[in-house]
Amino acid sequence: MTHSKRLKQLAIALSVAGGMTISSTSHALAITTDTDAMSLATKLTAGGGLTVISASLQGQSYDPDIVSSGTYTNATGTYGIGPGIVISSGAVNDYGDGSNVEAFHSMNYGVPATDEQRAMLNPISGGIPEFPDLHWDVTQLDITFTTSTGGVTFWVTFGSEEYPDNVGTMWNDVFGVLLDLPAPIPPQEFDPVTGDPLPIFDTAPYNIAIYNSAPININHPDMTECPGTELNGVLPCNGPMQFAVTGLDPSIPHTLTFIIADTTDEYGDSTAYISGLKSIPEPASLALIGIGLAGIGAMRRRKI
C-alpha cells in the first residue's frame, strides 16, 4: 500500500469521524469516551479483589468526541468479551457494534511515541530495519494496585485496520501489557570511549500479553477477519484472550501498563477491548474453580 493511498483513505476516515457522537448508544457494543484515568481503572477493576492506588493515562484527543480511550458495554456479546474499557490508536467511538464499511479506517493524531514508550513497544513490533523505533498515536494506561491473593487476571480482544493488507510489512501495529516496569525506564547509554550505543534496556520480559507464544500485533498467526465492528482483523475471533499473573507480593503495590500504538506511521487504527481485571487465587486453588493455568491464552508467572 503506497503512502499516498493511505493518505487518501485517511481523508475519508476523517470525514466520517467528524460526525461521531460521544456515546455510540445505537449500538449494543456501546462505547462512551472517557479520558479520566481513575474512571477507566475503576471500570476495569469492577470485578473486585483489587485496591487501585493510582492511575495515569497518556492518550490522544482531537476534540471531546474524538479521543483514544473510553468504556463500553456489550449487550450483544460481540467478540465474546465482557464490558470494560477500550483503548485505541484511533477514535474509540468508531469501534462499537456495526458493519465493516471501510477497507482502511483511520484517525490520525500525528503524535510520536515518547522514548519510554518506544522502549516498551519495539520488542512487541519486532523492530523494522528501516524504522527501528517509530511508533505513533500511543494510548497508555498505567494502573497501580494491590492484590490480597497474589494473582490477577483480565481479558483482551485486539483488532486492527492494518489487517490483512499490511501483514508482514513495516506497519505492524501493536498492543502490550507490561508488569512492574522500572520507573523511569533506563535511557539509552553510549560507550564512553567509542561513542557507540550500548544495548538498550530490554522491556520484553515485562510484557505478559503473550498469546500462543507470540506478542500481540497484526502479524500474529491467529489474527483473522471477524465481523462485528469496523475492525478488519481481530485476535482472536472466537472469544477473548485471557491473561493471568500469579506470584505477586501482596504486601507491595504493582503496576500494569496497557499500551497500544501505530507502527511506522500514524495511519490505520488498532483497538483493544479490555475486561475484568480482578484478583484470582494462587495456582493451588485455581483447580477448585475450574480455571487451569495451562489453557488460559498465554500467561507468565512472575515472582516480584
Side-chain angles (χ1 to χ4, degrees):
M1 180 180 295
T2 66
H3 192 69
S4 60
K5 183 177 180 182
R6 293 164 72 85
L7 286 170
K8 181 178 179 182
Q9 291 167 324
L10 172 66
I12 297 172
L14 285 174
S15 68
V16 174
M20 292 293 174
T21 59
I22 291 179
S23 179
S24 304
T25 54
S26 62
H27 297 151
L29 196 163
I31 293 174
T32 301
T33 59
D34 192 341
T35 58
D36 183 275
M38 279 301 294
S39 174
L40 294 169
T42 299
K43 176 69 173 182
L44 183 57
T45 59
L50 300 179
T51 299
V52 176
I53 298 171
S54 64
S56 63
L57 176 69
Q58 299 178 62
Q60 309 302 327
S61 176
Y62 184 77
D63 64 31
D65 295 357
I66 303 175
V67 301
S68 65
S69 60
T71 64
Y72 69 92
T73 58
N74 192 9
T76 53
T78 300
Y79 303 140
I81 192 166
I85 69 169
V86 55
I87 60 175
S88 181
S89 63
V92 292
N93 259 342
D94 294 347
Y95 297 101
D97 273 352
S99 301
N100 186 355
V101 297
E102 291 186 53
F104 187 77
H105 193 76
S106 185
M107 174 59 208
N108 168 28
Y109 298 103
V111 178
T114 66
D115 289 343
E116 284 199 351
Q117 288 171 338
R118 286 197 296 270
M120 294 184 233
L121 294 163
N122 288 347
I124 307 172
S125 62
I128 307 299
E130 299 94 331
F131 303 95
D133 59 355
L134 198 59
H135 295 90
W136 295 81
D137 294 351
V138 180
T139 298
Q140 175 185 337
L141 176 65
D142 299 279
I143 301 176
T144 299
F145 61 93
T146 57
T147 170
S148 60
T149 65
V152 297
T153 190
F154 56 92
W155 288 259
V156 176
T157 296
F158 169 77
S160 182
E161 289 293 273
E162 301 282 5
Y163 185 90
D165 290 353
N166 291 318
V167 171
T169 72
M170 66 182 70
W171 295 295
N172 184 24
D173 288 6
V174 296
F175 170 79
V177 184
L178 297 98
L179 173 67
D180 288 338
L181 277 169
I185 294 174
Q188 174 71 67
E189 295 183 350
F190 298 86
D191 188 290
V193 177
T194 66
D196 295 334
L198 298 174
I200 63 173
F201 179 79
D202 185 11
T203 62
Y206 296 83
N207 181 26
I208 64 172
I210 304 296
Y211 182 66
N212 288 345
S213 303
I216 309 304
N217 56 49
I218 72 160
N219 288 330
H220 196 286
D222 295 325
M223 194 90 172
T224 185
E225 295 181 11
C226 188
T229 70
E230 180 62 45
L231 293 164
N232 291 345
V234 170
L235 176 66
C237 185
N238 58 352
M241 300 171 279
Q242 186 178 4
F243 301 100
V245 179
T246 61
L248 299 177
D249 186 344
S251 68
I252 62 173
H254 301 277
T255 299
L256 283 172
T257 297
F258 300 88
I259 189 166
I260 194 167
D262 293 333
T263 300
T264 304
D265 67 17
E266 61 269 46
Y267 310 113
D269 298 346
S270 291
T271 298
Y273 307 89
I274 311 164
S275 179
L277 175 59
K278 62 181 181 180
S279 287
I280 56 172
E282 284 293 306
S285 301
L286 287 174
L288 299 178
I289 58 174
I291 301 176
L293 285 179
I296 308 178
M299 296 174 220
R300 191 169 292 179
R301 183 182 175 101
R302 178 181 296 281
K303 286 288 186 181
I304 303 298

